[in-house]
Amino acid sequence: MNKKQEQVLCINRKRLPQSWVTQRTVLPMHFPTFADTCTKAGFSFVPRGIAEEDRQKKQIIPYILLQTADGSMTAAYNRQGSEKRLHDLWSIGIGGHINPEDKAMETDSFKNILKTGMQRELDEELSRRVLTDPIEFIGIISEDITPVGSVHMGAVFLIRTQNPESYLPGDELHRFTWHATQTLSQLDLELWSELALELTNSLNPGV
């Protein structure tokens, strides 16, 4: 399918809390709060080519981070995918758009659709992972600074693992490596990764 024709999950910006869509948003949050608010706001699937040009919509993207159990190491990779505007920047987030295929049934809830899409992204991007590692929702990120950010919102999930060597990247995760979390700022990070790092640091102030 042509990327522009791909149907992606969107929420009208005006129906979201204003604190979620500031110029630079980093908000720790519990999953029920996020899911309930998005459910009440209402969502729709819109052709990606239209959504990418419409700042009145926010495409919801699961953005999944991988860290060691103590938070001292974080996985990162170099962007080389279809989004040319992010090429050669480093990212600590695995994720992508939510599509109609993530609905098990027509009446599926936002919560279930997001979780299904998140698991699908992990399966697509990683050739091997530890299925028993817990996946925790930690909050949201959003920004209106870059053209990419202005039409997306990140639902940030965190996987903490005792076995980082058991995570193997797929073909899309170029130069996938584990870095000391404290040194990530030395990489040329995409802005979303900077925001996500700020979010995780609020959970681990001592790391």
Side-chain angles (χ1 to χ4, degrees), residues 9 18 39 53 63 74 83 114 127 135 198:
L9 187 148
Q18 194 169 358
T39 299
E53 303 297 329
Y63 196 73
T74 301
E83 182 48 82
L114 180 64
S127 60
I135 305 175
E198 189 176 321

Side-chain angles (χ1 to χ4, degrees), residues 17 54 62 84 88 108-109 125 129 146 156 174 189-190 204:
D54 187 353
K84 304 296 185 187
D88 291 327
D108 222 347
S109 67
E125 301 291 354
R129 63 187 176 103
T146 67
V156 184
H174 295 268
L189 292 173
E190 64 181 9
N204 311 298

Side-chain angles (χ1 to χ4, degrees), residues 29-155:
M29 193 177 299
H30 295 297
F31 190 63
T33 300
F34 177 70
D36 290 348
T37 303
C38 290
T39 299
K40 289 173 184 173
F43 64 90
S44 60
F45 290 96
V46 176
R48 183 170 171 180
I50 294 174
E52 291 287 353
E53 303 297 329
D54 187 353
R55 288 174 60 93
Q56 297 309 307
K57 292 182 174 62
K58 280 286 191 178
Q59 302 165 56
I60 307 300
I61 305 290
Y63 196 73
I64 309 126
L65 315 183
L66 302 177
Q67 287 190 338
T68 51
D70 61 2
S72 66
M73 302 290 288
T74 301
Y77 65 96
N78 196 244
R79 286 274 191 186
Q80 299 291 321
S82 60
E83 182 48 82
K84 304 296 185 187
R85 293 168 292 185
L86 298 176
H87 258 215
D88 291 327
L89 295 176
W90 284 85
S91 177
I92 62 171
I94 296 170
H97 293 86
I98 301 295
N99 308 124
E101 70 189 72
D102 298 317
K103 291 191 296 183
M105 57 190 72
E106 205 55 42
T107 56
D108 222 347
S109 67
F110 174 87
K111 177 178 70 174
N112 289 343
I113 294 170
L114 180 64
K115 285 188 171 180
T116 300
M118 181 264 296
Q119 292 284 357
R120 173 181 55 77
E121 286 292 336
L122 285 172
D123 290 338
E124 288 177 358
E125 301 291 354
L126 295 167
S127 60
R128 193 176 79 190
R129 63 187 176 103
V130 183
L131 296 177
T132 53
D133 279 343
I135 305 175
E136 176 189 5
F137 177 82
I138 60 173
I140 62 171
I141 54 175
S142 180
E143 51 93 357
D144 285 341
I145 299 166
T146 67
V148 179
S150 64
V151 292
H152 295 87
M153 172 177 288

